[in-house]
């Protein structure tokens, strides 16, 4: 009889635990070592040279068409054609829609005939030396006939809806066969400042009387066509050019003027999170233990509380712009006064869409050919400013006079010359990342990591 031997399985869990424990110990040891190194800043030299400094104002706002045309027929009748649809690009003067003009042509012919008759009557009375009263009456009749002809021709011209600008059709509230009531509206009503307010034309159906509406409905029934029920523009065209509408506070508006240059970048709000806890160990998929930077672990996340914030993210390339309007009357919200500012975007850049958000940087002051150094190279004590200058390996402190600060640099108005070498202390970041809400950092190679800080522009090791 053969006996079967049963072998007990080998237990390897303790070995894995030992390896993981060793990795954790090495990670904390590495983090402790990095922490000690982070206290020693690196010194670099910055070569002083002429540059340009600009003072700017940053604000976020919404993108809008530079011009909006709300178009409607000024005459009643049956829509004979609609030549465009929403989203279509149109040129200035392009025909958008037409109304049946048979009756309008007949009205023009009748008005012309009445004018000709009035003219003939006046001519005949003048040739027979009629009384002055008769001549005056003939002249009044002639003037009335002429006005009627002008009106009839205007109505005929109003039977064709054309685009006054080049742009894109935003909405179309017309269909062929639709019967429009007459509103008596003529011309185009200009509103706003011309920097995004656009133009608007009264809609015929919205301003018609109840009797006209009833007449329209009756005519529609007779012609088996839908009556117009639109209460807005029948066709809306927006320009291809854009503006950005901003709101700035009282501390900013005084620096802004019409004609100043700007940089506009379309943005969207994206959510970014900061987690409390060290980065997870990439090789082991574990969670962090203390405070750490944003996670970069592939297999696990840090433990502890996290926070989420919304930050603007660029969605298209930046474009240049010009300030075209600075409001002088503030509006108040929650006790905060803000002023409207309009920036016109130059050209027709891609990636800009009406209603989207944009961040705008307006330059209100530029100083060309000035000397400047990194702001963190300047030491201030007892109201005096100084920098450390390196010359032939020797370091000396030199008192300087400062001007404006912009983009991490500060203007030096006296105390330095072009070519001077200024010592800049650059704090060394921990190679394994930094903590935002807690203690400790994530461990590079074992899960998560950061990057050392870069040197300021113009600096040399």
């Amino acid at each position: 009889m053969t006996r079967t031997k049963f072998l007990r399985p080998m237990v390897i869990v303790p070995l894995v635990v030992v390896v993981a424990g060793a990795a954790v110990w090495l990670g904390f040891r590495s983090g402790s070592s990095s922490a000690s190194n982070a206290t020693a800043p690196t010194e670099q030299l910055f070569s002083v040279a002429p540059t340009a400094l600009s003072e700017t104002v940053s604000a976020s706002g919404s993108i809008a068409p530079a011009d909006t045309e709300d178009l409607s027929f000024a005459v009643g009748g049956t829509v004979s054609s609609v030549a465009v649809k929403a989203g279509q690009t149109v040129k200035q003067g392009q025909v958008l829609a037409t109304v049946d003009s048979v009756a309008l042509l007949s009205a023009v012919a009748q008005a012309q005939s009445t004018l000709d008759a009035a003219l003939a009557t006046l001519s005949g009375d003048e040739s027979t030396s009629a009384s002055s009263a008769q001549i005056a009456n003939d002249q009044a009749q002639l003037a009335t006939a002429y006005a009627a002809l002008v009106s009839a021709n205007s109505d005929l011209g109003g039977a064709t809806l054309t685009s006054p600008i080049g742009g894109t059709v935003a909405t179309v509230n017309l269909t062929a066969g639709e019967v429009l009531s007459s509103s008596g509206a003529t011309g185009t009503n200009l509103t706003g400042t011309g920097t995004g307010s656009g133009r608007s034309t009264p809609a015929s159906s919205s301003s018609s009387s109840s009797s006209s509406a009833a007449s329209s409905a009756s005519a529609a029934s007779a012609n088996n066509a839908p009556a117009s029920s639109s209460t807005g523009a029948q066709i809306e065209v927006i320009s291809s050019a854009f503006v950005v509408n901003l709101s700035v506070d009282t501390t900013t508006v005084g620096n802004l003027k019409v004609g100043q240059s700007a940089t506009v970048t379309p943005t969207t709000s994206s959510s970014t999170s900061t987690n409390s806890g060290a980065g997870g160990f990439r090789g082991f998929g574990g969670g962090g233990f203390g405070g750490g930077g944003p996670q970069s672990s592939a297999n696990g996340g840090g433990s502890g509380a996290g926070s989420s914030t919304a930050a603007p993210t660029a969605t298209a390339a930046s474009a240049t712009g010009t300030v075209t309007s600075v409001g002088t009357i503030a509006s108040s919200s929650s006790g905060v006064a803000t002023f409207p500012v309009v920036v016109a975007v130059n050209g027709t850049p891609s990636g800009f869409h009406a209603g989207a958000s944009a961040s705008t940087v307006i330059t209100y002051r530029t100083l060309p050919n000035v000397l400047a150094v990194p702001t963190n190279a300047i030491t201030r004590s007892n109201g005096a400013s100084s920098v450390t200058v390196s010359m032939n390996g020797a370091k000396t402190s030199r008192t300087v006079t400062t001007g404006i600060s912009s983009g991490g640099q500060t203007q030096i108005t006296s105390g330095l010359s072009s070519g001077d070498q200024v010592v800049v202390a650059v704090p060394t970041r921990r190679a394994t990342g930094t903590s935002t809400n807690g203690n400790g950092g994530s461990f590079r190679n074992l899960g998560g990591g950061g990057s050392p800080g870069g040197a300021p522009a113009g600096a040399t090791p």
Side-chain angles (χ1 to χ4, degrees):
M1 181 176 182
T2 303
R3 293 183 178 181
T4 303
K5 295 183 180 181
F6 295 91
L7 300 179
R8 287 189 296 176
M10 181 180 297
V11 179
I12 62 173
V13 173
L15 178 58
V16 174
V17 173
V18 170
V19 173
V24 172
W25 180 81
L26 288 173
F28 276 113
R29 180 182 179 90
S30 173
S32 176
S33 175
S34 297
S36 62
N37 292 335
T39 60
T42 299
E43 290 187 346
Q44 296 180 337
L45 297 181
F46 179 88
S47 181
V48 180
T51 186
L53 287 184
S54 298
E55 290 184 291
T56 61
V57 169
S58 297
S60 295
S62 59
I63 301 173
D67 191 6
T68 300
E69 297 286 346
D70 294 330
L71 308 172
S72 293
F73 282 106
V75 296
T78 302
V79 178
S80 55
S81 68
V82 179
V84 294
K85 58 184 178 180
Q88 181 175 336
T89 300
V90 295
K91 298 179 180 179
Q92 183 177 6
Q94 181 173 334
V95 175
L96 308 178
T98 58
V99 167
D100 186 6
S101 59
V102 174
L104 298 174
L105 284 169
S106 177
V108 170
Q110 180 61 43
Q112 183 65 56
S113 177
T114 302
L115 177 64
D116 292 341
L119 185 60
T121 299
L122 174 61
S123 178
D125 288 342
E126 287 177 338
S127 64
T128 59
S129 300
S131 65
S132 58
Q134 182 62 46
I135 297 299
N137 182 68
D138 292 344
Q139 289 174 340
Q141 293 296 324
L142 180 63
T144 300
Y146 179 77
L149 178 61
V150 170
S151 178
N153 277 312
S154 177
D155 288 346
L156 180 60
T160 301
L161 203 61
T162 60
S163 178
I165 62 171
T168 303
V169 177
T171 59
V172 176
N173 294 319
L174 283 175
T175 56
E178 183 177 1
V179 176
L180 305 177
S181 60
S182 176
S183 66
T186 58
T188 299
N189 178 31
L190 301 185
T191 61
T193 61
T195 54
S197 300
R199 301 178 179 179
S200 62
T201 302
S204 62
S205 57
S206 64
S207 58
S208 60
S209 65
S210 58
S211 61
S212 296
S215 174
S216 174
S218 176
S221 177
N223 290 277
N224 195 26
S228 173
S229 59
S230 172
T231 58
Q234 292 165 353
I235 296 181
E236 183 180 66
V237 180
I238 59 175
S239 64
S240 300
F242 293 98
V243 298
V244 181
N245 296 311
L246 307 171
S247 293
V248 300
D249 58 26
T250 54
T251 62
T252 300
V253 68
N255 295 322
L256 302 182
K257 296 180 181 179
V258 172
Q260 291 172 339
S261 61
T263 301
V264 181
T265 305
T267 61
T268 185
S269 179
S270 63
S271 178
T272 58
S273 62
T274 301
N275 295 309
S276 176
F281 301 108
R282 180 170 298 171
F284 303 97
F289 301 103
Q295 305 298 327
S296 60
S297 167
N299 300 318
S303 64
S307 62
S308 178
T309 58
T313 303
T315 60
S318 299
T320 59
T322 305
V323 177
T324 57
S325 174
V326 179
T328 56
I329 300 178
S331 59
S332 180
S333 177
S334 302
V336 178
T338 58
F339 295 83
V341 175
V342 178
V343 173
V345 180
N346 298 332
T348 54
S350 60
F352 281 66
H353 304 284
S357 299
S359 62
T360 305
V361 179
I362 302 172
T363 301
Y364 64 87
R365 185 185 182 193
T366 300
L367 299 179
N369 298 320
V370 298
L371 299 182
V373 298
T375 302
N376 61 347
I378 301 172
T379 301
R380 292 178 173 85
S381 179
N382 298 324
S385 300
S386 63
V387 297
T388 301
V389 178
S390 177
M391 184 177 296
N392 299 325
K395 299 177 183 178
T396 57
S397 179
R398 187 179 300 178
T399 301
V400 295
T401 303
T402 61
I404 68 171
S405 295
S406 176
Q409 290 192 315
T410 297
Q411 177 191 8
I412 303 298
T413 58
S414 66
L416 290 178
S417 300
S418 181
D420 286 343
Q421 299 288 309
V422 174
V423 178
V424 182
V426 182
T428 303
R429 290 186 181 181
R430 294 178 60 178
T432 55
T434 58
S435 169
T436 301
N437 297 320
N439 298 316
S442 55
F443 302 100
R444 179 178 292 180
N445 299 329
L446 294 177
S451 61
T460 56

